[in-house]
Amino acid sequence: MTSKVYFSNMAYTAYEADQTLPCKLGRQLEVSGLGDKVKDKNVAIKIHVGSELGYSTIPPIFMRILAKFVKDHGGNCFFVDHYIASRHPENRGYTPESLGAPILEAAGHLGKYLYTVAVDHKGFKHVDIAGLVHDADFLIDFAHVKGHGCCAYGGAVKNIAMGCVSDRTRREQHGLEGGLTWDREKCTHCRACVESCNHQANSFNDKDEYEVNFHNCTLCQHCLKVCPTGAITLTDASYLDFQKGLALCTKTVIDTFEPGNVFYINLLIAITAMCDCWGMTTPSLVPDIGVMSSWDIAAIETASLDQIKYEKLNPEGVPSGSTMGDHGHLFERLHGKDPYSQINFLEEMGLGTKAYALEMVK
C-alpha cells in the first residue's frame, strides 16, 4: 500500500499568476477532497507564527488561500499556535484581516485550557492537548519545513507535537534529550546563553554561577547551541528518545480526532537550518522546492525529506567554518541525527506509511 502525496513544484512556463505556488496550493486543495470533509465543521489550522526577526515563516498569502477555501466549502476555521501575544505575529503580517480568520492561543490566553492524556515513555508522562485543538472537529496541520537542532527536521510532526500542547509537555519531550550542565572553567560569561533564551529561564547569580529555572525551561537547547565555548552541554544525547516522544505526542493529539479529520500541508520554501522558533532567519539550505499535501503524515514527511537533497546545498545556508558530516541526509550531515527516524516511529505507531506516490498538481 502507498499513500498519495499531492506535490506542486516551483517550475513555471509563463509569467502568469496562475502558475505561482499559491495558486497551485489552491488546486491541490480542490483535488484532495478536503472541501467535502470540512463542510459544517470547526477547523483548527495549526501554524507557526515565528518570533522576533524571523522572516521565513509561511507567507500570509498561503494561509489566506487556505482559510478562504475552508470557508467557501462551508467550514468555520481559525488559526492556532502558542505564545501568540508575546511573539507579535503582526510583525510577520499575521492578522485576522490579512489571513481571513482569527489567530487564537491554542491553550487560551493563560495557557491553561488543556486536556491531559497520560503517556509513558521514559520521562515523558503527560500530553496536555491545547483546548482549542482538542475541541475542534477537524485539524489542518500547515507546517513550514526546515531543519531542527534536536531532531534534525521540523515538519508536520514537530508542528503538532511541540505546538498543540502545553509548556509541561514540551519540557517533558525535550527532557528526553537529557538535562543541562554548566562548566565554569569553559564559561567566559559572554551571556549569549541568557540573551538567546525565549523563556527567561536562565541567568547568572551574584556569584557569577550559571543557573537554570527549570520551571520555565523547555530544554529547547538554544543556550547550548549559541555558547561559543561549549560550556553548556546535555547530560544525555539520545535523540532517538526525543524523536519517539515527538511521534507519541503527535499520535496522542491526532487520536483526538475522528479518522479522516486531519489533513497535512508542508510548505518547502525558505528551508533553513534551524526552527522558526529561534526568531531569526538564515539563508536557505537548498533552493525552494514547492508545496505538498496529504492525508497521511508519515507519507508527506517522507516525501518532503526525499526532496531535500545534499547535492543542492547552498553553502551560505550553513554557518561559516562549521564541519558537516559525510553521510546521510542533508539534515543528518548538518545536525548529526537521522531525520527519518521519527517517521519510522510514526509508522510503528500506525500513523500511516512511508511508502508514497507523488501526484503532481500543476
Side-chain angles (χ1 to χ4, degrees), residues 121-187:
H121 173 46
K122 298 191 173 182
F124 183 27
K125 303 295 183 183
H126 311 90
V127 176
D128 301 322
I129 303 172
L132 292 186
V133 173
H134 181 281
D135 293 348
D137 305 311
F138 196 100
L139 175 66
I140 298 177
D141 179 15
F142 196 1
H144 170 229
V145 168
K146 63 276 177 189
H148 195 284
C150 301
C151 54
Y153 164 72
V157 171
K158 190 268 177 186
N159 198 41
I160 291 177
M162 285 289 167
C164 293
V165 296
S166 70
D167 278 346
R168 175 173 70 167
T169 297
R170 282 186 284 274
R171 182 164 56 247
E172 288 185 4
Q173 288 182 89
H174 275 303
L176 295 169
E177 283 251 344
L180 298 171
T181 59
W182 174 67
D183 187 331
R184 178 192 294 271
E185 298 301 318
K186 291 183 178 180
C187 182

Side-chain angles (χ1 to χ4, degrees), residues 80-267:
V80 293
D81 197 10
H82 62 283
Y83 306 145
I84 287 178
S86 63
R87 292 193 287 173
H88 296 287
E90 68 276 8
N91 292 341
R92 285 160 297 286
Y94 300 161
T95 66
E97 293 76 20
S98 65
L99 303 189
I103 311 170
L104 305 176
E105 182 66 49
H109 182 67
L110 299 178
K112 296 182 179 180
Y113 179 33
L114 305 161
Y115 295 81
T116 298
V117 178
V119 295
D120 187 11
H121 173 46
K122 298 191 173 182
F124 183 27
K125 303 295 183 183
H126 311 90
V127 176
D128 301 322
I129 303 172
L132 292 186
V133 173
H134 181 281
D135 293 348
D137 305 311
F138 196 100
L139 175 66
I140 298 177
D141 179 15
F142 196 1
H144 170 229
V145 168
K146 63 276 177 189
H148 195 284
C150 301
C151 54
Y153 164 72
V157 171
K158 190 268 177 186
N159 198 41
I160 291 177
M162 285 289 167
C164 293
V165 296
S166 70
D167 278 346
R168 175 173 70 167
T169 297
R170 282 186 284 274
R171 182 164 56 247
E172 288 185 4
Q173 288 182 89
H174 275 303
L176 295 169
E177 283 251 344
L180 298 171
T181 59
W182 174 67
D183 187 331
R184 178 192 294 271
E185 298 301 318
K186 291 183 178 180
C187 182
T188 63
H189 296 85
C190 68
R191 296 185 59 81
C193 53
V194 176
E195 293 167 2
S196 75
C197 182
N198 294 328
H199 307 284
Q200 294 76 53
N202 57 0
S203 61
F204 286 93
N205 63 23
D206 55 8
K207 297 180 181 179
D208 260 351
E209 297 169 332
Y210 182 68
E211 293 183 339
V212 177
N213 177 357
F214 283 97
H215 180 272
N216 293 349
C217 178
T218 65
L219 287 167
C220 65
Q221 302 174 39
H222 286 194
C223 57
L224 179 155
K225 292 186 179 297
V226 300
C227 179
T229 62
I232 303 172
T233 56
L234 286 173
T235 56
D236 181 29
S238 179
Y239 81 91
L240 289 174
D241 286 337
F242 179 61
Q243 288 191 330
K244 185 173 183 178
L246 290 178
L248 176 58
C249 188
T250 299
K251 174 176 169 53
T252 305
V253 173
I254 290 175
D255 284 349
T256 298
F257 298 90
E258 294 293 327
N261 279 3
V262 182
F263 187 70
Y264 308 94
I265 305 171
N266 278 2
L267 186 64

Side-chain angles (χ1 to χ4, degrees), residues 297-340:
I297 188 170
I300 194 172
E301 293 285 73
T302 306
S304 296
L305 283 171
D306 285 352
Q307 290 294 318
I308 302 169
K309 301 182 185 300
Y310 173 74
E311 292 76 16
K312 295 188 176 182
L313 174 67
N314 167 27
E316 292 184 349
V318 181
S320 299
S322 63
T323 301
M324 295 182 66
D326 60 3
H327 68 278
H329 189 274
L330 169 57
F331 287 145
E332 182 172 5
R333 296 177 187 230
L334 183 62
H335 295 302
K337 305 164 179 108
D338 181 0
Y340 290 100

Side-chain angles (χ1 to χ4, degrees), residues 42-97:
N42 291 310
V43 181
I45 305 174
K46 174 60 181 71
I47 60 172
H48 193 305
V49 301
S51 65
E52 300 181 33
L53 296 179
Y55 57 88
S56 51
T57 51
I58 297 172
I61 185 63
F62 291 94
M63 300 182 192
R64 187 174 184 84
I65 286 172
L66 178 56
K68 184 177 186 302
F69 178 88
V70 171
K71 291 191 289 185
D72 286 349
H73 288 80
N76 171 45
C77 67
F78 53 95
F79 294 94
V80 293
D81 197 10
H82 62 283
Y83 306 145
I84 287 178
S86 63
R87 292 193 287 173
H88 296 287
E90 68 276 8
N91 292 341
R92 285 160 297 286
Y94 300 161
T95 66
E97 293 76 20

